[in-house]
Amino acid sequence: MSMQSLPLVSVITPSYNQAKFIKRTIESVLTQDYPHIEHIVVDGASTDGTQNILQQYSHLADRFRYVSEPDRGQSHAINKGLQMARGEIIGWLNSDDTYFPGAIRKAVAALQQHPEWGVVYGKGLHIDEDDKVKYPYIWVEFDRKKLFHFNIICQPAAFLRKHAFEAVGGVNEEHDWCMDYDLWNRISLHYPIGTIPEFLANSRLYDACKTFVYELEPGFSEILKTSVKHHGTISNEWLYHYTQNHYKQGAFWFLNKLKAYHAFGPSPQIIASNRYSDSWAPQNLRMTIEASHGPMNALLIKGSNQDIAPLLHFHVMRNGKFVYKFQVSQGRFQVVIPITSEGQQCEVSIFCSQQILQNHPNNPEVKRSVSYHLEEVLPLSYEEYQFYQEFTKGKAQIENWVNRRVPSPRI
């Protein structure tokens, strides 16, 4: 079979300051035993010697091309490479990853045998900076239900038909961490995704790699956004991973993220409040809670008593009726107020026993009345309230709660 009768495979490598690894990446492409390949490196104007390495391969003409210019990040670079690609099959190989020998030949054969597949992926290994194997990437045959639970596709071990890649609009440039997870979710809505039980690629993990450095942020936000967008909620596996590995971030950090992306479904929101912009609370704090899409089951507040009164007393009113009282000592405090919303909207007032007159920060000649510093106030849905209660009991308790949780994904 002549080379011209074989489909051209375009391997796209987004690159930025990866001089330490990129030669190994390029060599793993150019030494493939599949003859009809073009390797396109899209470099973001690296300053570490990467451009000198790329120049060494420029004599290979159609087999190797590169551009080096400022871009908007990895996702943008991949889309630029997609526009440059001439092949009907696309490989996406990051500048610190490598292919196994024979990877492209095996992927092409699988796609030729299954013309209905939009993507095929194989097995992958995680390797360190010195190419030593750390552990295998999880590998299972594709099922969109499994994709809800975790990213089951080793990205460098995946090969895509160009028309399928383009049909879904390429990589979503709003993402800079889990753009591959979002891509698999989008493609799987329109095209079958196939698997082959062969090792195709190495995914490199090391302390300075993007996977580790940005796992928390923007990683968690992007996982929540992607999961809710495609499945309506977040899986226990993702939730377990983040709460166990990043427990020290604290309950408020997690709740703010979960609420922002409605990871537990519709969430009650504060739509009006008389809290000052510098987070001081007046003696009578008033809030309007919007609960039309999700009822409130508790109100969580975090603040500090500025060491003026040894004890602060609070009375809580809902729609003008007394419902709860509590007190806090000097220093920082965190309080859960067990209060439910009534109807689609309710008014909550929290009256404090302390009143302090202080200069207004924007006009020293004007006095204002304040009582305490209110850092955060969160109305919680039932599941958010359960999450908070278990989280504050420790890592083991939140692990048990996550494992018992029964999400209802939209597949």
Side-chain angles (χ1 to χ4, degrees), residues 26-46:
I26 295 171
E27 290 294 330
S28 79
V29 176
L30 297 181
T31 57
Q32 290 288 308
D33 59 3
Y34 184 80
H36 207 189
I37 296 172
E38 65 167 1
H39 190 189
I40 302 168
V41 177
V42 185
D43 182 64
S46 292

Side-chain angles (χ1 to χ4, degrees), residues 99-374:
Y99 282 142
F100 270 73
I104 293 178
R105 170 175 49 80
K106 294 173 183 177
V108 171
L111 288 171
Q112 287 183 315
Q113 291 170 14
H114 298 275
E116 74 280 9
W117 288 357
V119 179
V120 65
Y121 68 93
K123 296 182 177 181
L125 294 176
H126 284 305
I127 59 174
D128 66 12
E129 291 178 279
D130 301 314
D131 299 333
K132 293 180 180 178
V133 176
K134 295 168 70 74
Y135 50 87
Y137 194 100
I138 185 173
W139 184 87
V140 295
E141 291 189 0
F142 185 80
D143 184 323
R144 187 170 166 81
K145 294 179 181 178
K146 297 174 184 174
L147 189 61
F148 162 67
H149 295 290
F150 217 69
N151 190 356
I152 59 175
I153 300 178
C154 181
Q155 172 261 304
F159 292 82
L160 309 85
R161 296 192 192 276
K162 187 182 182 184
H163 70 82
F165 205 167
E166 291 178 327
V168 298
V171 175
N172 186 343
E173 295 180 23
E174 292 181 0
H175 292 299
D176 195 46
W177 191 81
C178 77
M179 66 286 276
D180 57 330
Y181 185 54
D182 173 74
L183 180 64
W184 312 140
N185 273 284
R186 286 187 287 124
I187 286 183
S188 63
L189 285 172
H190 306 284
Y191 299 91
I193 294 180
T195 57
I196 52 175
E198 302 270 1
F199 282 99
L200 301 185
N202 295 300
S203 175
R204 199 179 300 276
L205 291 182
Y206 52 101
D207 289 344
C209 75
K210 189 174 183 178
T211 301
F212 284 158
V213 173
Y214 299 112
E215 179 187 63
L216 188 61
E217 279 300 334
F220 189 50
S221 293
E222 291 190 9
I223 288 296
L224 287 169
K225 182 177 181 178
T226 301
S227 295
V228 172
K229 172 185 174 182
H230 295 291
H231 304 286
T233 185
I234 186 172
S235 72
N236 289 357
E237 287 77 4
W238 281 122
L239 200 55
Y240 171 85
H241 174 83
Y242 275 96
T243 54
Q244 294 301 301
N245 288 293
H246 301 286
Y247 181 82
K248 65 180 181 180
Q249 293 297 317
F252 273 87
W253 186 88
F254 276 100
L255 281 169
N256 273 306
K257 296 292 184 183
L258 294 166
K259 285 180 68 65
Y261 295 98
H262 304 287
F264 292 160
S267 179
Q269 303 291 327
I270 298 173
I271 59 173
S273 171
N274 67 341
R275 182 175 68 153
Y276 293 111
S277 59
D278 58 357
S279 296
W280 277 92
Q283 187 175 27
N284 186 16
L285 174 68
R286 297 187 301 274
M287 295 168 286
T288 302
I289 311 294
E290 173 63 55
S292 58
H293 300 294
M296 176 176 65
N297 277 258
L299 194 65
L300 178 59
I301 65 173
K302 179 170 69 172
S304 60
N305 174 11
Q306 301 293 319
D307 299 331
I308 296 174
L311 200 64
L312 298 184
H313 298 271
F314 294 84
H315 286 76
V316 183
M317 310 284 284
R318 180 189 58 205
N319 294 334
K321 297 180 180 179
F322 170 78
V323 291
Y324 192 70
K325 65 179 179 180
F326 63 96
Q327 61 187 32
V328 300
S329 302
Q330 288 182 337
R332 300 177 65 82
F333 62 84
Q334 196 165 297
V335 177
V336 178
I337 302 171
I339 178 175
T340 58
S341 53
E342 287 186 330
Q344 297 186 349
Q345 196 174 97
C346 71
E347 304 293 328
V348 175
S349 297
I350 303 177
F351 187 84
C352 179
S353 59
Q354 174 174 264
Q355 182 180 22
I356 307 166
L357 290 178
Q358 64 175 210
N359 292 332
H360 195 285
N362 298 325
N363 188 350
E365 296 182 359
V366 176
K367 296 288 186 178
R368 67 175 183 177
S369 172
V370 299
S371 291
Y372 53 96
H373 199 255
L374 182 60

